[in-house]
Amino acid sequence: YRIAAYAQLGKHDDAEQMFYLAQQIKDDCPQCYDHIAVSLATRGDLDRAIWCWGRASQIDPHYPDVYANLARAHWQRGQHERAKQLFLTQLREDPGDTEVVLQLGSLLIETGRYDEAREKFNRALEQDPASAEAYLRLGELSLLAGRHDKAVCHLETAKRLAPEHPGVELWMAKIAKRRGNHELTRIHLLAELDRKGCGVTQTMQLARMLIEASLFQEAVDVLSSLVGGSSDQPALLGDSLASAMLMRAVAWARMGKPMASIDQCQTLLKLTPRNTAAMRCMIEAYLKQDRLRMASYWLGRAQRITARDPRLRTLRRRLIRAKVTVPIRRALEHLRTRLARRTPG
């Protein structure tokens, strides 16, 4: 239990020390492997976490939630089929686990198996008729199918069952946006900001929609909790971290903070040196600052990576125009300044 306690406090080095002490007492303790796996997964060390949960399942094939934990870890690694099979194994161990049924349904949505996902959510409602999450996901499926009225019905049911349930206002915002009601979209997005417990995927979707609705500061705040980590949301790793950093750079650029955007992109490029999306963002920021030499440099680097990107061709045309217009504008500004100095009083 000290392993688990240290992991929950974020003292992962201490958790590992407790684990090795425990192994000296009993080296085949499934509970120890489970607790240290949680610590490892929290740090993003999924390979070692999977090994530890696998070891726990070997010692005790019926250890609680071990297959569900393995499924979630494989899901994070993008190994969807393996995750699906592990979720099914967990359900054979505990068919009444509604939470696992819901997670399997969400995985099936992510892989485009909508009919299978709908069956899982309906099954979850059979087990728990008051499951707001099941109604939320059915609303999501209805929206994906273009059935807006049915989606609203499901989402309103979810909201009635759990008024503070995360994700409901986000999907309401998506429906409002598709219907062209931009003001209602903003209202739903701002309401979603007050929800606690959103997963990483939902939080990223919320940030993207906030940017699209020109709520840039709100988007930066949401993304900062992901990039830096917070008490409610652990810091991201890998591709998710890169996506969050890029969105934050875009938000800063659009709210008129090009230097913050450039700094974020430079940090991102240290992690992903061939990230042309970050380079495009930097080019736009430099163009807004009339820093044409830097814009030209990054355009050249991006074109060497992907020469046929039409967005780079658009930026190249903007750069060519800027090389003509910027010197003229600077000359006119200099002339106005000189004339102003010569004009008495």
Side-chain angles (χ1 to χ4, degrees):
Y1 290 109
R2 292 179 71 183
I3 300 170
Y6 278 128
Q8 289 179 14
L9 291 169
K11 297 181 178 181
H12 299 293
D13 291 340
D14 291 334
E16 283 206 42
Q17 288 182 12
M18 283 298 109
F19 172 74
Y20 292 125
L21 284 173
Q23 279 202 311
Q24 293 176 24
I25 301 169
K26 184 180 180 181
D27 63 359
D28 58 351
C29 171
Q31 196 171 16
C32 294
Y33 280 105
D34 177 43
H35 290 328
I36 196 62
V38 171
S39 171
L40 291 165
T42 302
R43 285 178 275 170
D45 193 345
L46 294 177
D47 289 339
R48 293 172 69 201
I50 286 170
W51 188 91
C52 288
W53 273 316
R55 180 70 183 126
S57 70
Q58 291 171 356
I59 297 168
D60 182 358
H62 305 291
Y63 188 82
D65 295 328
V66 67
Y67 301 110
N69 287 326
L70 277 167
R72 285 186 282 268
H74 281 286
W75 187 358
Q76 281 186 266
R77 292 178 64 183
Q79 297 168 333
H80 297 103
E81 190 58 35
R82 179 60 178 154
K84 176 187 174 184
Q85 295 306 317
L86 286 162
F87 275 134
L88 292 172
T89 301
Q90 183 66 50
L91 288 173
R92 285 193 289 271
E93 289 287 315
D94 185 3
D97 192 330
T98 304
E99 184 63 29
V100 171
V101 174
L102 290 168
Q103 290 176 350
L104 175 55
S106 298
L107 172 66
L108 291 168
I109 288 181
E110 194 169 301
T111 56
R113 300 175 182 178
Y114 299 147
D115 291 337
E116 292 180 57
R118 188 174 292 106
E119 184 272 326
K120 298 303 177 192
F121 297 133
N122 286 324
R123 175 179 165 184
L125 286 175
E126 290 175 5
Q127 297 177 180
D128 179 9
S131 173
E133 181 69 16
Y135 279 109
L136 171 65
R137 294 304 182 184
L138 286 170
E140 179 180 349
L141 285 169
S142 296
L143 180 58
L144 290 169
R147 303 171 69 179
H148 295 171
D149 292 338
K150 192 166 185 178
V152 170
C153 181
H154 285 311
L155 293 170
E156 287 178 344
T157 302
K159 190 173 181 178
R160 186 173 64 253
L161 290 168
E164 297 300 316
H165 191 78
V168 174
E169 296 289 352
L170 174 63
W171 284 98
M172 286 288 207
K174 291 185 179 185
I175 293 171
K177 182 182 177 183
R178 289 197 181 185
R179 288 174 167 174
N181 192 332
H182 301 299
E183 185 57 34
L184 186 58
T185 300
R186 291 168 66 92
I187 290 171
H188 284 305
L189 290 173
L190 292 172
E192 184 66 31
L193 289 174
D194 296 328
R195 303 295 187 266
K196 302 297 182 184
C198 281
V200 170
T201 301
Q202 283 186 357
T203 304
M204 297 279 278
Q205 291 176 349
L206 173 60
R208 187 173 289 107
M209 288 196 69
L210 287 167
I211 292 172
E212 292 170 356
S214 299
L215 296 167
F216 303 125
Q217 185 58 59
E218 290 81 358
V220 168
D221 293 342
V222 167
L223 291 164
S224 295
S225 70
L226 289 177
V227 172
S230 69
S231 58
D232 299 318
Q233 183 68 63
L236 297 181
L237 298 164
D239 292 341
S240 296
L241 174 60
S243 297
M245 292 175 72
L246 178 61
M247 278 197 286
R248 188 164 66 164
V250 170
W252 267 324
R254 293 186 182 178
M255 66 191 293
K257 294 185 176 180
M259 284 310 302
S261 177
I262 290 168
D263 290 344
Q264 181 71 104
C265 288
Q266 288 176 338
T267 301
L268 176 53
L269 285 167
K270 292 176 183 177
L271 301 174
T272 55
R274 296 177 64 83
N275 191 325
T276 55
M279 294 179 191
R280 291 198 306 271
C281 187
M282 287 183 70
I283 295 165
E284 291 195 25
Y286 282 126
L287 284 172
K288 287 180 181 179
Q289 293 183 308
D290 292 339
R291 297 172 65 183
L292 306 186
R293 187 170 297 176
M294 292 301 299
S296 181
Y297 168 77
W298 284 106
L299 178 63
R301 280 192 58 171
Q303 286 180 320
R304 285 193 290 274
I305 296 171
T306 172
R308 297 183 179 180
D309 188 339
R311 291 165 294 188
L312 290 178
R313 288 199 291 270
T314 300
L315 288 171
R316 183 174 180 273
R317 287 194 291 270
R318 285 178 57 187
L319 178 60
I320 291 171
R321 286 196 297 270
K323 286 180 177 179
V324 175
T325 59
V326 168
I328 294 173
R329 186 172 69 247
R330 286 175 176 169
L332 289 173
E333 289 173 355
H334 180 66
L335 180 60
R336 280 196 294 268
T337 301
R338 289 185 63 183
L339 289 174
R341 289 174 179 170
R342 291 181 181 180
T343 303

